Amino acid sequence: MNDEARPPAPSAPESEAIVIEGLRKHFPGREQPALADISSRIHFGRMTGLVGPDGAGKTTLIRLLVGLLKADGGSARVGGFDAATQADRIHPICGYMPQKFGLYEDLSVIENLRLYADLRSVTGDERRRKFERLLRFTDLEAFQSRLAGRLSGGMKQKLGLACALIGEPRILLLDEPSVGVDPISRRELWKMVQQLLADGLAVVWSTSYLDEAEKCDAVILLNEGQVLYDGPPAGMLQRVRGRVWHLGGVAADKRRKLLMRLLLRPDVTDAVLQGRSLRLVTASDAGPSASWREDLPADWVESGAGDIHWTPEEARFEDGFIDILGGGPGGVSALGERIAEKEWSDAPVIDANGLTKRFGNFTAVRDNSFRIRRGEIFGLLGPNGAGKSTTFKMMCGLLKPSAGTATIMGLDLEKASSRARERIGYMAQKFSLYGGINVLQNLRFFSGVYGLAGKARQERVDLMVSLFGLKDLLGMNADTLPLGFKQRLALACAVMHEPDILFLDEPTSGVDPVTRREFWLHINAMVQKGVTVMITTHFMDEAEYCDRIALIYRGENIATGTPDDLKNRVRSAELPDPTLEDAFIALCGQGAEGAA
């Protein structure tokens, strides 16, 4: 992006790109203010991360900064201009990428660029040069004629970034730019924006991926409209340093039980699964207390491990994030407690053989086979466009395979699809409920779809409202809900008939870490009752909860195993302690080399 001159970035004391003073915003009908007297400084040449739980006020803040909303009090100056009274002066110096894909899906890549160039009055040779540079910068040169709606998630976000850069902005406001994007595309997008910092841009990057926040120059943490932290990421790590532990020696089939037991302890702030191990944050730096091990059954210890043991771990930004918000959601799932125990057996619950799906000359899924047991979490990982959602739709009977077979609980999806679907709960990748009707109407509709009627139907709707905290939202249209509550509603509709099998297609995409922990608390509890879960996700820390993972690349299964198995496959002298994300990227790279 350096090949075309830009005005130089201001230097101190003019280095402040955005100055926020006592900003307030309250929406009618809401008890909690969206923003409550917040103040901050955002600088040129720096990446500022904007993080917080769903509904914390992140999108509201960004929309106030670009003049799309009016504040109820306080002020915000963007590039020296008042956001309330000089929005017309702010728009030419700002690039804004909204949370929802803000482009036209029925227009091609080049048509979207032309539209945004028209809006920015970019014409002639300048327009041609910018198109050439942006297409090269985003690696979209070969896809100019493709409709935006047919791009992969990562390519859509790159196009959105290109359109935001059409006007040569000095300030770039990105609202969840990497939501729903696979790890490879996320890294590419991050590197692209990092290059812009060298030109002196101020970048605000709102994100639910806290590994991204940890790489920012500064972080603003919002919760319930208030600033809980404003400073370098290292400050968040410091608050939990010496309190993070790795627990090993846990029997593979007992790790979820141990996790839920630890989450109930007052001396444990947070705990998550990492393959066959656990990651633990304690309330003090004294370390885990030996008392919680005293009553553990002997078969909870991995054979040959001697005992469950712990070693110190490096703190991460997410540890500090959860800690400053008061810890995780606890270890009790009311949903899991209400679900009846399923009938256990050794027969595979899901059985796919040679599953293939072709769309014309394009093969989306090629000869995939897998068997999934009762009470198992099976993950499908892969880049955007790898064939994961197509596989899900075939397994749910929503798409007919071009070749191969799929059975659910021994029922052939082609011959007994209605009976098979009664045993399935499905949560689609994109919010699949009805946005034009309210929360209560959605719950009633889906309870009827799943065959519930009369008193049983009303009792189940009331239970879902209680379990997922939807009481105050019943009259809101689903489209207007914050993302976290949309996903809660979608999960409530998928589980209200107590299915044997749950298909979850990126259920926590764009959802904050606290809400994701709530989801996984419910999922783990249901699995303990014998529910079988098949899931896709782009959060690699979530994939650690899976018992087994199939890595899909260009429609083919290129690796299957436990999370630890996949990490071990890429372990080397150069990568002695790989993360699951490292394994994902390395194995996909090997798949690309094999395809070439």
Side-chain angles (χ1 to χ4, degrees):
M1 292 294 291
N2 291 310
D3 57 340
E4 186 169 314
R6 282 198 182 106
S11 57
E14 299 176 336
S15 65
E16 291 177 339
I18 300 173
V19 178
I20 303 167
E21 296 282 1
L23 203 60
R24 301 191 303 278
K25 181 64 182 177
H26 188 275
F27 292 105
R30 305 277 184 90
E31 181 178 345
Q32 184 76 34
L35 293 174
D37 194 28
I38 72 166
S39 300
S40 188
R41 302 286 191 275
I42 293 168
H43 296 268
F44 285 106
R46 297 185 187 177
M47 177 89 77
T48 299
L50 188 59
V51 298
D54 294 305
K58 304 185 295 297
T59 296
T60 298
L61 175 58
I62 290 177
R63 298 188 72 183
L64 284 167
L65 294 179
V66 294
L68 295 176
L69 291 174
K70 296 289 186 183
D72 297 325
S75 66
R77 297 190 68 81
V78 180
F81 302 111
D82 189 294
T85 62
Q86 296 177 294
D88 59 327
R89 304 290 298 277
I90 290 173
H91 294 163
I93 64 170
C94 277
Y96 171 48
M97 187 172 166
Q99 187 179 78
K100 292 182 179 179
F101 186 55
L103 306 178
Y104 291 87
E105 298 205 354
D106 55 350
L107 295 182
S108 68
V109 168
I110 194 65
E111 288 169 338
N112 270 285
L113 287 173
R114 288 170 183 159
L115 173 62
Y116 273 76
D118 289 342
L119 293 172
R120 293 286 192 176
S121 300
V122 178
T123 60
D125 288 342
E126 180 190 9
R127 179 186 185 116
R128 179 184 55 77
R129 288 195 304 271
K130 285 186 176 181
F131 282 8
E132 288 177 356
R133 190 181 69 253
L134 288 169
L135 289 167
R136 185 171 62 250
F137 180 59
T138 55
D139 200 24
L140 291 172
E141 292 171 290
F143 303 97
Q144 296 182 47
S145 61
R146 182 174 296 185
L147 294 181
R150 297 185 62 188
L151 296 174
S152 69
M155 293 167 71
K156 283 183 178 181
Q157 299 303 77
K158 288 179 183 179
L159 176 57
L161 178 61
C163 290
L165 292 171
I166 284 284
E168 295 286 356
R170 301 275 355 129
I171 298 167
L172 195 57
L173 301 165
L174 308 176
D175 195 359
E176 300 275 6
S178 53
V179 65
V181 176
D182 66 76
I184 297 173
S185 298
R186 277 208 300 133
R187 288 195 181 185
E188 291 175 353
L189 194 64
W190 179 265
K191 288 178 181 177
M192 288 165 53
V193 176
Q194 281 285 326
Q195 292 178 41
L196 301 172
L197 296 178
D199 290 344
L201 269 72
V203 178
V204 177
W205 181 294
S206 171
T207 182
S208 54
Y209 292 93
L210 297 190
D211 59 329
E212 293 176 347
E214 192 168 336
K215 300 174 192 171
C216 290
D217 301 297
V219 174
I220 301 170
L221 169 57
L222 294 177
N223 185 47
E224 296 181 349
Q226 298 182 331
V227 175
L228 296 190
Y229 179 80
D230 188 350
M236 290 288 285
L237 273 63
Q238 187 59 41
R239 68 177 287 122
V240 289
R241 193 154 280 139
R243 295 164 47 198
V244 186
W245 309 88
H246 173 272
L247 268 67
V250 185
D253 62 337
K254 306 301 182 191
R255 58 187 186 137
R256 290 193 181 91
K257 288 185 178 180
L258 179 57
L259 173 70
M260 298 178 82
R261 178 179 291 202
L262 291 176
L263 287 171
L264 291 171
R265 294 189 60 87
D267 55 351
V268 174
T269 302
D270 188 31
V272 295
L273 295 183
Q274 282 192 333
R276 295 182 68 172
S277 305
L278 283 80
R279 181 183 178 87
L280 184 71
V281 181
T282 53
S284 74
D285 58 7
S289 168
S291 63
W292 59 261
R293 295 188 307 178
E294 293 174 357
D295 59 344
L296 291 182
D299 63 352
W300 284 35
V301 180
E302 185 178 19
S303 177
D307 203 349
I308 294 174
H309 49 274
W310 59 80
T311 53
E313 280 252 314
E314 285 293 321
R316 297 190 305 218
F317 186 90
E318 185 162 325
D319 301 323
F321 178 95
I322 297 294
D323 187 70
I324 202 171
L325 291 173
V332 176
S333 165
L335 175 62
E337 290 185 334
R338 294 297 296 264
I339 285 182
E341 184 96 11
K342 304 299 181 183
E343 184 178 341
W344 293 81
S345 74
D346 294 330
V349 176
I350 298 174
D351 194 351
N353 289 288
L355 212 56
T356 298
K357 182 61 182 179
R358 290 182 289 270
F359 297 97
N361 294 326
F362 174 68
T363 302
V365 176
R366 186 190 306 275
D367 195 28
N368 282 347
S369 300
F370 46 83
R371 288 185 172 186
I372 307 175
R373 302 182 297 272
R374 167 71 70 187
E376 185 178 21
I377 300 179
F378 187 83
L380 277 185
L381 302 189
N384 295 109
K388 305 183 297 298
S389 295
T390 300
T391 300
F392 262 47
K393 290 175 182 177
M394 287 191 287
M395 296 306 303
C396 294
L398 299 176
L399 277 178
K400 183 178 179 180
S402 304
T405 61
T407 62
I408 298 292
M409 307 282 292
L411 299 170
D412 188 301
L413 284 171
E414 283 197 64
K415 299 176 182 177
S417 59
S418 59
R419 290 172 57 201
R421 287 175 190 168
E422 292 173 1
R423 318 298 289 270
I424 292 171
Y426 176 50
M427 186 173 167
Q429 182 181 41
K430 293 183 178 179
F431 185 57
S432 57
L433 307 181
Y434 290 91
I437 61 176
N438 65 34
V439 170
L440 181 58
Q441 290 166 333
N442 267 288
L443 289 168
R444 287 175 173 167
F445 173 78
F446 278 91
S447 62
V449 167
Y450 286 126
L452 299 171
K455 183 179 179 181
R457 177 185 186 183
Q458 188 58 49
E459 288 177 349
R460 195 57 56 88
V461 168
D462 291 343
L463 178 62
M464 294 299 110
V465 169
S466 174
L467 293 180
F468 288 95
L470 300 172
K471 182 178 179 180
D472 295 334
L473 306 172
L474 293 179
M476 288 182 63
N477 278 11
D479 262 351
T480 64
L481 293 173
L483 180 58
F485 283 99
K486 283 184 179 180
Q487 300 299 79
R488 288 184 190 181
L489 175 59
L491 183 60
C493 290
V495 302
M496 67 167 56
H497 61 304
E498 298 193 9
D500 288 87
I501 301 163
L502 261 181
F503 289 98
L504 304 175
D505 196 0
E506 295 188 29
T508 59
S509 180
V511 175
D512 70 86
V514 176
T515 304
R516 286 197 286 123
R517 279 163 170 73
E518 291 177 8
F519 267 58
W520 279 97
L521 180 66
H522 295 316
I523 292 169
N524 285 325
M526 288 188 287
V527 168
Q528 296 289 334
K529 292 291 187 72
V531 175
T532 298
V533 175
M534 191 171 179
I535 187 167
T536 71
T537 180
H538 288 316
F539 288 100
M540 293 298 103
D541 57 335
E542 284 189 349
E544 296 274 12
Y545 283 84
C546 296
D547 296 292
R548 289 184 300 138
I549 291 169
L551 183 56
I552 308 297
Y553 185 78
R554 295 183 181 177
E556 296 188 32
N557 185 342
I558 61 171
T560 300
T562 68
D564 290 342
D565 289 338
L566 299 188
K567 287 182 278 189
N568 287 334
R569 286 183 60 166
V570 302
R571 196 180 304 276
S572 65
E574 295 77 22
L575 201 61
D577 189 23
T579 64
L580 195 53
E581 182 166 314
D582 293 330
F584 178 100
I585 291 170
L587 291 169
C588 286
Q590 294 172 17
E593 291 172 3

